[in-house]
Amino acid sequence: QKEVEQDPGPLSVPEGAIVSLNCTYSNSAFQYFMWYRQYSRKGPELLMYTYSSGNKEDGRFTAQVDKSSKYISLFIRDSQPSDSATYLCAMSAGAAGNKLTFGGGTRVLVKP
Amino acid sequence: DTAVSQTPKYLVTQMGNDKSIKCEQNLGHDTMYWYKQDSKKFLKIMFSYNNKELIINETVPNRFSPKSPDKAHLNLHINSLELGDSAVYFCASSPTRAGTQYFGPGTRLLVL
């Protein structure tokens, strides 16, 4: 079993819908949680960064961390076709510059 | 301006050959990383250097040897290439060991 589990999708939604993504993990030492977006044939791009439990909002993106359940989520409101990409969760036990453990990514398709 | 750049973007080679991938960052960051992304999109850390010093060395065959001539550059040399080395290799950098990581565009390696 992998340390970080993520449904590979694809997740297909109509434009304007809310996209809901999540990851589960097994290592209780993880304290730093990140979401990256990766377009096809490009490098991962950092979207959200959260420390410990709680919510964080940035524009159309909301990240939630529930350490008691070892579960993190990313919500994308008012989804656009340009949001079509693979979304990767990542986490580390130390600060964000330490070794990141990634989920396998969820492919999202937003249809116009 | 490219923040983290890698060369080459594509590399097709025969089994048994030796090849190098180069990475440069112009962000003034202290820490650099090499990741491997396999066909199932899992990103796995291989190495990390902080100010030219090796700080993370995951379980990677010793055919892979990183070299950091200065803190803006981190190269990856691979000896005796095998079919299983085919993947996308990403370089990343962070301001410090504790900073968030910024990824390069990747190098697609195909071993025939």
Side-chain angles (χ1 to χ4, degrees):
Chain A
Q1 188 186 359
K2 293 199 180 290
E3 268 189 298
V4 180
E5 299 277 1
Q6 191 175 1
D7 188 324
L11 178 62
S12 184
V13 300
E15 184 176 354
I18 294 175
V19 175
S20 174
L21 304 164
N22 58 74
C23 289
T24 58
Y25 62 94
S26 56
N27 187 345
S28 57
F30 288 144
Q31 294 192 77
Y32 296 85
F33 304 91
M34 284 132 275
W35 285 95
Y36 283 84
R37 177 175 63 196
Q38 186 175 22
Y39 291 114
S40 181
R41 296 184 174 264
K42 300 285 185 187
E45 170 195 6
L46 181 68
L47 279 178
M48 299 287 282
Y49 162 63
T50 314
Y51 169 69
S52 195
S53 282
N55 293 359
K56 187 172 183 179
E57 193 172 314
D58 184 1
R60 297 185 296 114
F61 299 92
T62 300
Q64 291 182 350
V65 174
D66 181 350
K67 287 187 69 181
S68 61
S69 304
K70 297 192 182 70
Y71 186 90
I72 70 170
S73 303
L74 178 71
F75 300 96
I76 309 173
R77 288 183 298 282
D78 188 24
S79 58
Q80 307 294 313
S82 59
D83 294 325
S84 298
T86 296
Y87 290 80
L88 301 154
C89 63
M91 40 199 87
S92 73
N98 282 357
K99 184 178 87 167
L100 291 182
T101 302
F102 280 84
T106 299
R107 192 165 150 245
V108 171
L109 196 58
V110 180
K111 295 185 173 177
Chain B
D1 287 343
T2 306
V4 182
S5 59
Q6 295 179 228
T7 53
K9 285 189 176 166
Y10 299 95
L11 191 50
V12 181
T13 188
Q14 301 287 330
M15 272 177 58
N17 283 351
D18 302 339
K19 290 292 176 187
S20 290
I21 307 171
K22 295 186 175 182
C23 178
E24 177 181 359
Q25 53 94 3
N26 61 7
L27 298 166
H29 289 173
D30 285 345
T31 311
M32 296 184 73
Y33 310 79
W34 277 113
Y35 285 85
K36 179 181 179 181
Q37 189 172 42
D38 62 25
S39 56
K40 294 190 177 175
K41 296 291 189 184
F42 274 99
L43 261 168
K44 198 154 185 222
I45 191 162
M46 301 171 70
F47 303 103
S48 175
Y49 271 74
N50 185 68
N51 274 325
K52 303 197 302 176
E53 179 192 348
L54 182 65
I55 56 171
I56 295 175
N57 185 352
E58 288 296 287
T59 310
V60 175
N62 56 17
R63 299 182 294 103
F64 290 80
S65 52
K67 276 209 173 71
S68 181
D70 56 62
K71 71 174 195 178
H73 296 85
L74 181 61
N75 304 325
L76 183 66
H77 188 76
I78 316 169
N79 288 328
S80 304
L81 278 154
E82 299 178 358
L83 293 176
D85 297 333
S86 296
V88 183
Y89 292 84
F90 286 100
C91 177
S93 73
S94 60
T96 64
R97 292 175 69 154
T100 51
Q101 296 179 30
Y102 298 85
F103 283 78
T107 295
R108 293 184 168 270
L109 171 64
L110 180 60
V111 182
L112 303 174

